[in-house]
Amino acid sequence: MRALSNVLTACAVLTLAFAAQSCGLWDPPGGDSENGSAVPQKASNIPFLTKEPDRYQANITVTAFGEDGEALVREYVIAKRGTDVAVVIGPGTDKELRLIDHSDKKFILNMRERSIRERAGGPSGDDLAEQLTRGWMTVTPGTKYEKLGTENGITRFRVSPENLEASEIFVLYDENLKFPVGSEIYSVREGARDLTFKYEVSEWKDTPDDNLFTVPEGFTEQPDNAN
């Protein structure tokens, strides 16, 4: 389960991105209340829809850049089919994991080991899907939005959270999908402007692949060791 824990820790970047300073993309999750980097309340003044459709599939790429320019990249596939949720972590790699949530059972599939575990507790696919698709939209109530224009159905917004003068944030919104499909966060310090975070949605499908919600044949069942 260490691999899953590492990926979920990396995903905490999404929730903290609008709350932290630009260098905060590399801070541990949870923030420091004394320094004002605690996760803020969910804002209600977002000028576009952020609710996921009941049925869809999409690829999500999350990239965080360190001060040395080194990039930490995470790839995901998210699929929803009513109450069923599937999240693929590291699709196509030798570390691929799949989280499958049905209304009555939750599973984790290790594609390399061809093993499956039923989860009785801990993070679920739906938890991770929410962080990836909506958690990064957690911003302070005083956040301001400026519509910069629309091109090829994609509207670009400048986002200005309170007390984040050292950062420049942009959100890309697909007017046809009615869903945010990108975000960029830049660090602005001493006249320099550096990209520190990038979120991208691609390969959108209205009909998800049913195979993502099923367990392939030949997988070995493993006991759940989650606390």
Side-chain angles (χ1 to χ4, degrees):
M1 299 304 296
R2 180 175 298 176
L4 175 60
S5 176
N6 290 342
V7 172
L8 292 176
T9 298
C11 288
V13 168
L14 297 169
T15 306
L16 296 175
F18 285 160
Q21 296 293 339
S22 57
C23 61
L25 287 169
W26 300 97
D27 290 343
D32 181 347
S33 58
E34 292 183 0
N35 294 327
S37 58
V39 178
Q41 296 290 322
K42 179 75 78 174
S44 60
N45 60 332
I46 299 175
F48 44 80
L49 299 176
T50 61
K51 185 180 184 300
E52 297 170 277
D54 291 333
R55 298 176 64 90
Y56 80 99
Q57 178 179 324
N59 293 5
I60 293 180
T61 303
V62 181
T63 307
F65 300 89
E67 293 183 356
D68 58 357
E70 183 179 356
L72 173 66
V73 182
R74 293 289 184 265
E75 300 277 353
Y76 307 88
V77 175
I78 292 182
K80 286 206 170 186
R81 187 182 61 185
T83 59
D84 294 335
V85 179
V87 178
V88 183
I89 303 171
T93 71
D94 61 357
K95 296 181 180 180
E96 179 178 328
L97 298 175
R98 294 188 185 183
L99 283 66
I100 301 175
D101 287 12
H102 297 295
S103 58
D104 55 342
K105 291 184 178 181
K106 305 179 190 300
F107 301 99
I108 295 178
L109 281 65
N110 187 312
M111 304 305 288
R112 181 185 63 180
E113 298 178 359
R114 297 185 64 80
S115 64
I116 179 174
R117 290 176 177 171
E118 182 176 349
R119 294 281 290 170
S124 68
D126 199 29
D127 295 330
L128 180 52
E130 182 172 1
Q131 290 299 320
L132 286 167
T133 57
R134 296 191 297 278
W136 62 279
M137 290 303 300
T138 301
V139 295
T140 58
T143 297
K144 297 180 181 179
Y145 297 84
E146 178 186 357
K147 184 175 180 179
L148 301 178
T150 302
E151 184 175 354
N152 297 324
I154 303 296
T155 299
R156 188 175 180 86
F157 290 87
R158 178 182 284 113
V159 183
S160 302
E162 292 178 306
N163 304 318
L164 276 182
E165 291 79 6
S167 297
E168 190 171 18
I169 302 172
F170 299 93
V171 169
L172 304 178
Y173 183 76
D174 191 311
E175 299 289 351
N176 295 316
L177 296 177
K178 302 300 181 185
F179 198 75
V181 294
S183 178
E184 299 172 354
I185 299 180
Y186 294 84
S187 167
V188 182
R189 290 179 293 182
E190 299 178 353
R193 182 175 179 270
D194 299 309
L195 181 63
T196 57
F197 173 87
K198 190 173 184 179
Y199 167 95
E200 301 169 277
V201 176
S202 61
E203 303 297 326
W204 185 280
K205 300 178 182 179
D206 294 329
T207 302
D209 183 354
D210 288 337
N211 291 327
L212 293 177
F213 303 95
T214 61
V215 179
E217 294 183 1
F219 273 54
T220 303
E221 187 172 350
Q222 300 291 334
D224 177 29
N225 61 356
N227 294 324

